[in-house]
């Protein structure tokens, strides 16, 4: 069912845009190498955009699932806990102050920013004594400060503003095969790490004492989990900009289907997260024709009510 939904949304992503394409034209563009304008549109624009949405969606969904298991926090998500903001601030600094213009350069700065902010939020939230409210507050404060810095840099550097104005809201519009070729190895490594630590994450969700009794290596699991989140979020943010709420919504949906076992949650999240991201991208193309609404805006509009619902539904610990 999940794979069928993914196939359908991929076809919609290729067929729907400023110019709608019949499925026959989509099929021709996919499997025939003619020189018509529609074939070029399918192969050079729509397919790279769809493929980038697939890998970035999977990365964000897996990162959210890992963070929720690692922190035992139902509100944990790369955007809410400041990871995306850290990567964004680092990339903006690279562009404005160091003159970095290539995605290869963005990626390393994004990794550094994501890693530093992940550790900072965890420490500000109380590290091992952290609870969901403290982590959410720490992430919100850090995110606000970093996005204030990003906006200040853009206002002071008009050249950087021109390069960053679409990137900072999260978009798939500039996707190309070169971008995909540069980020997919990092995302693939992050995906592999998440799948390898699925069983220890199951133990970790039961509490440190229980995890030790079950033979889980806590320090190694936490280090590998944070490395996986850094790889996934850093590469995704460098490629598309900060896209929020994917990692919050999908793990909750998946748990309703699979239960709490991370060995099932992670594969389902890797499939359903691209469904949400590409679906939001298609919606953004439809509602603002002939222009488009960036996917980061659409996911924020969808995710805000979900976040409020989750906060109201769960009894949160006292500060």
């Amino acid at each position: 069912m999940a794979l069928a939904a993914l196939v359908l949304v991929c076809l919609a992503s290729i067929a729907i845009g400023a110019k709608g394409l019949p499925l026959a034209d989509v099929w021709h563009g996919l499997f025939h190498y003619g020189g018509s304008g529609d074939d070029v549109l399918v192969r050079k624009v729509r397919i790279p955009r769809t493929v980038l949405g697939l890998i970035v969606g999977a990365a964000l969904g897996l990162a959210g699932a890992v963070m929720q298991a690692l922190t035992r926090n139902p509100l944990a998500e790369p955007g809410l806990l400041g990871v995306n903001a850290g990567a964004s601030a680092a990339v903006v600094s690279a562009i404005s102050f160091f003159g970095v213009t290539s995605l290869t350069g963005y990626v390393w700065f994004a990794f550094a920013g994501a890693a530093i902010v992940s550790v900072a939020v965890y420490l500000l939230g109380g590290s091992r004594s952290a609870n969901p409210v403290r982590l959410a507050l720490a992430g919100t404060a850090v995110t606000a400060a970093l996005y204030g810095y990003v906006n200040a840099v853009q206002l002071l550097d008009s050249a950087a503003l021109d390069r960053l104005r679409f990137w900072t809201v999260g978009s798939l519009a500039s996707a190309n095969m070169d971008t995909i070729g540069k980020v997919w190895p990092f995302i693939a490594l992050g995906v592999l790490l998440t799948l390898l630590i699925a069983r220890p994450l199951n133990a970790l969700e039961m509490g440190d004492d229980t995890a030790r009794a079950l033979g889980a290596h806590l320090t190694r699991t936490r280090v590998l989990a944070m490395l996986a989140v850094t790889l996934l979020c850093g590469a995704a943010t460098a490629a598309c900009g900060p896209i929020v709420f994917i990692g919050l919504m999908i793990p909750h949906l998946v748990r309703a289907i699979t239960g709490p076992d991370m060995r099932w949650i992670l594969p389902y999240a890797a499939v359903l997260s691209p469904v949400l991201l590409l679906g939001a991208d298609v919606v953004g193309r439809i509602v603002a024709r002939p222009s488009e609404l960036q996917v980061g805006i659409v996911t924020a509009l969808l995710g805000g009510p979900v976040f409020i619902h989750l906060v109201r539904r769960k009894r949160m610990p006292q500060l």
Side-chain angles (χ1 to χ4, degrees), residues 254-308:
V254 170
R255 284 190 192 92
I257 300 171
T258 68
D261 192 339
M262 293 298 292
R263 291 173 296 178
W264 286 102
I265 289 173
L266 293 175
Y268 267 86
V271 173
L272 291 177
S273 297
V275 172
L276 176 59
L277 182 60
L278 288 173
D281 189 43
V282 170
V283 170
R285 290 184 241 173
I286 293 172
V287 298
R289 277 180 173 174
S291 183
E292 69 176 67
L293 196 63
Q294 278 71 37
V295 67
I297 298 173
V298 179
T299 59
L301 292 173
L302 293 173
V306 174
F307 178 67
I308 293 171

Side-chain angles (χ1 to χ4, degrees), residues 35-55:
S36 72
D38 288 348
D39 288 346
V40 173
L41 176 64
V42 168
R43 290 197 302 272
K44 300 295 186 181
V45 179
R46 300 279 177 84
I47 289 178
R49 184 170 185 156
T50 301
V51 173
L52 187 62
L54 284 171
I55 62 175

Side-chain angles (χ1 to χ4, degrees), residues 44-77:
K44 300 295 186 181
V45 179
R46 300 279 177 84
I47 289 178
R49 184 170 185 156
T50 301
V51 173
L52 187 62
L54 284 171
I55 62 175
V56 167
L60 295 175
L62 287 171
V66 170
M67 291 186 75
Q68 289 175 17
L70 182 66
T71 62
R72 298 192 290 275
N73 179 358
L75 303 181
E77 192 263 348

Side-chain angles (χ1 to χ4, degrees), residues 73-166:
N73 179 358
L75 303 181
E77 192 263 348
L80 292 175
L81 296 189
V83 180
N84 287 348
S88 300
V91 171
V92 168
S93 299
I95 292 172
S96 185
F97 300 129
F98 300 102
V100 177
T101 58
S102 69
L103 181 64
T104 305
Y106 294 169
V107 168
W108 297 111
F109 278 89
F111 287 156
I116 291 169
V117 171
S118 297
V119 174
V121 168
Y122 187 62
L123 294 176
L124 289 171
S127 63
R128 292 191 177 185
S129 63
N131 62 45
V133 172
R134 286 178 175 172
L135 284 170
L137 289 175
T140 300
V142 170
T143 297
L146 290 175
Y147 279 137
Y149 165 77
V150 168
N151 290 331
V153 171
Q154 291 183 60
L155 289 173
L156 294 173
D157 188 341
S158 58
L161 174 60
D162 289 338
R163 293 195 296 271
L164 290 168
R165 56 182 177 172
F166 292 111

